[in-house]
Amino acid sequence: MKKNQDNFFRDISDILTQARNRAGKAVNLVMVYSYFEVGKRIAEEEQNGEARAQYGTRLIQELSNYLTNHIGPGFSITNLKQMRQFYFTYAQDQIGQTLSDQFKNLPAVSTGRKFVLSWSHYLKLMRIDDVNERHFYEIEAARNNWSLREMNRQYDSGLYERLALSRDKKGIRRLSEKGQLIEKASDAVKDPYVLEFLGLEEKSSYSESDLEMHLIDNLQNFLLELGTGYTFVARQKRFTFHEDHFRVDLVFYNRLMQCFVLFDLKIGKLKHQDLGQMQMYVNYYDRYEKQDYENPTIGVLLCQDKDDAMVDLTLPKDSNIYASKYQLYLPDKEQLKKKMEQWTKELEGDENE
């Protein structure tokens, strides 16, 4: 009886908590739409007003005073300028069908644009100059329900550039139109993985066990870095074959790919023996763990250093095994942008040949 009552209490609590969360999101979205309209009215009034630069400044100053007196705080000159910039940024901006299809019940402004994130998210997005990159983070934040902190972390880690550098020109365009799509094994794997959240120093002495322990202790952040669709299954997963015992460091499952993803952690430079060991792990899972409806297992060797030529020579071309480097610091965004610009030029050059 007591157990049933406890379940009843939890159910009621969950209903009210979910309702409160939905109400909070609804109020936030109403404010975002309102700020767009306020920005639009300010822009229109400035365009119809006196042909002097000072007019816009005076208009916003007087509007700030009026709104503060009649409504209350929250309408400083800075805030009103941000609303105007919000309108200028998104008035002609269309993001395609991705958000419209995902949020069919949301209204659209006069331009057909929908807004799905909080005002704090859009304040960050407005500071991203590249419209394709801005679209990508908006789509991914909406799809994965990223908090502002999570979105900032993904931006700081150069997620867009890291994914773009592994794609052809068409793939780069799809990132800005549809976000990160997981359609084949390579889409579910990154290179490099950025693990700055572990707090390990680049030159410090740590073992593979230490690295594994820190990843488990920071599992939520690691799942965020892994990307869409990942769920944690086990650490040090033991299996026995012909009386020999083996352990896989980390086992995940990707719901979108419908397959196991095995991670083996390596300190130092990757060796060809490591690739052979992972091949055995993957073969075991494909033959004894995978269900008929599931896709082939993916193996990822997470290492500090690797020789790409050695990896290509060791693994067959149709292998589902990947060697990815990890780094313990956030990448230099400017360096990533330069690499991406060079990569884009090379792609364009290949197309023109």
Side-chain angles (χ1 to χ4, degrees):
M1 183 67 180
K2 178 70 167 56
K3 184 177 180 180
N4 291 337
Q5 190 178 65
D6 288 343
N7 291 335
F8 169 73
F9 288 161
R10 278 195 296 270
D11 289 343
I12 296 298
S13 176
D14 289 343
I15 291 171
L16 294 175
T17 300
Q18 291 171 13
R20 182 177 295 174
N21 290 337
R22 286 196 296 268
K25 290 180 180 179
V27 169
N28 208 320
L29 273 181
V30 169
M31 296 309 298
V32 169
Y33 278 83
S34 299
Y35 291 161
F36 181 87
E37 294 301 325
V38 169
K40 178 182 178 182
R41 290 289 289 112
I42 292 174
E44 291 173 343
E45 184 65 22
E46 287 178 340
Q47 291 168 4
N48 295 329
E50 302 173 31
R52 294 198 302 270
Q54 294 90 341
Y55 177 71
T57 300
R58 190 175 75 244
L59 174 69
I60 289 181
Q61 173 70 71
E62 293 176 357
L63 177 61
S64 175
N65 293 338
Y66 180 88
L67 293 175
T68 301
N69 291 332
H70 286 75
I71 299 178
F75 301 98
S76 66
I77 293 174
T78 299
N79 288 346
L80 292 175
K81 286 182 177 179
Q82 288 172 336
M83 295 176 202
R84 180 180 61 184
Q85 183 59 42
F86 185 46
Y87 169 73
F88 283 139
T89 301
Y90 289 100
Q92 304 299 323
D93 178 85
Q94 293 298 328
I95 203 168
Q97 290 299 115
T98 300
L99 291 183
S100 295
D101 291 344
Q102 188 175 350
F103 300 94
K104 294 180 179 179
N105 296 327
L106 284 178
V109 295
S110 57
T111 63
R113 193 56 155 80
K114 291 185 176 183
F115 300 110
V116 299
L117 301 173
S118 74
W119 177 238
S120 297
H121 283 82
Y122 284 110
L123 287 176
K124 171 64 177 182
L125 290 168
M126 282 191 290
R127 295 196 291 271
I128 301 177
D129 295 329
D130 187 305
V131 64
N132 294 321
E133 185 178 7
R134 188 167 64 237
H135 283 175
F136 168 79
Y137 285 111
E138 185 177 6
I139 292 170
E140 289 298 305
R143 175 182 291 156
N144 298 297
N145 198 27
W146 285 344
S147 67
L148 177 62
R149 183 189 66 82
E150 291 169 338
M151 188 178 80
N152 282 335
R153 190 265 163 190
Q154 296 287 33
Y155 175 80
D156 291 339
S157 73
L159 177 61
Y160 174 71
E161 290 87 355
R162 285 189 285 147
L163 292 175
L165 285 168
S166 65
R167 284 158 170 75
D168 57 20
K169 197 172 181 181
K170 185 182 294 185
I172 295 174
R173 191 181 309 116
R174 290 178 70 190
L175 283 176
S176 67
E177 295 173 350
K178 299 179 181 296
Q180 183 183 9
L181 297 180
I182 308 297
E183 297 176 329
K184 57 185 184 299
S186 59
D187 294 335
V189 180
K190 295 176 185 171
D191 187 21
Y193 287 89
V194 178
L195 309 178
E196 92 294 340
F197 51 83
L198 298 182
L200 292 169
E201 294 183 10
E202 188 71 12
K203 296 182 180 180
S204 64
S205 176
Y206 57 89
S207 65
E208 292 170 0
S209 297
D210 292 332
L211 179 60
E212 178 187 322
M213 180 187 69
H214 278 77
L215 287 173
I216 294 299
D217 289 344
N218 293 271
L219 186 57
Q220 183 176 355
N221 287 324
F222 189 40
L223 284 168
L224 180 65
E225 172 63 10
L226 290 180
T228 305
Y230 277 93
T231 58
F232 177 65
V233 177
R235 65 181 294 193
Q236 291 297 311
K237 179 65 174 178
R238 173 176 164 169
F239 66 88
T240 301
F241 186 71
H242 287 178
E243 299 182 354
D244 289 324
H245 305 302
F246 304 93
R247 293 182 185 272
V248 183
D249 288 340
L250 298 171
V251 180
F252 292 86
Y253 192 86
N254 191 286
R255 296 178 293 105
L256 302 181
M257 288 293 297
Q258 287 194 303
C259 69
F260 288 104
V261 184
L262 314 180
F263 279 82
D264 207 16
L265 310 178
K266 297 299 176 184
I267 300 298
K269 192 170 183 178
L270 191 68
K271 302 178 177 64
H272 66 86
Q273 296 95 327
D274 300 326
L275 296 166
Q277 181 178 345
M278 175 57 80
Q279 183 70 71
M280 188 265 289
Y281 291 169
V282 167
N283 288 344
Y284 178 86
Y285 262 75
D286 279 345
R287 296 174 189 177
Y288 300 104
E289 298 289 341
K290 181 179 79 68
Q291 301 297 312
D292 291 340
Y293 64 86
E294 292 177 321
N295 290 309
T297 303
I298 299 172
V300 181
L301 289 125
L302 202 55
C303 57
Q304 281 181 308
D305 193 16
K306 62 172 179 169
D307 183 336
D308 288 326
M310 183 272 290
V311 173
D312 290 340
L313 184 63
T314 304
L315 295 176
K317 291 185 178 181
D318 59 349
S319 171
N320 237 20
I321 296 173
Y322 301 86
S324 295
K325 293 175 67 174
Y326 68 85
Q327 59 187 57
L328 301 174
Y329 54 89
L330 288 172
D332 186 322
K333 286 278 293 182
E334 291 305 314
Q335 288 295 325
L336 279 175
K337 288 182 183 295
K338 289 179 182 178
K339 285 181 65 176
M340 186 174 163
E341 289 172 2
Q342 181 62 36
W343 176 241
T344 304
K345 289 179 182 178
E346 292 175 2
L347 290 176
E348 291 173 349
D350 292 341
E351 290 179 354
N352 294 330
E353 290 181 356

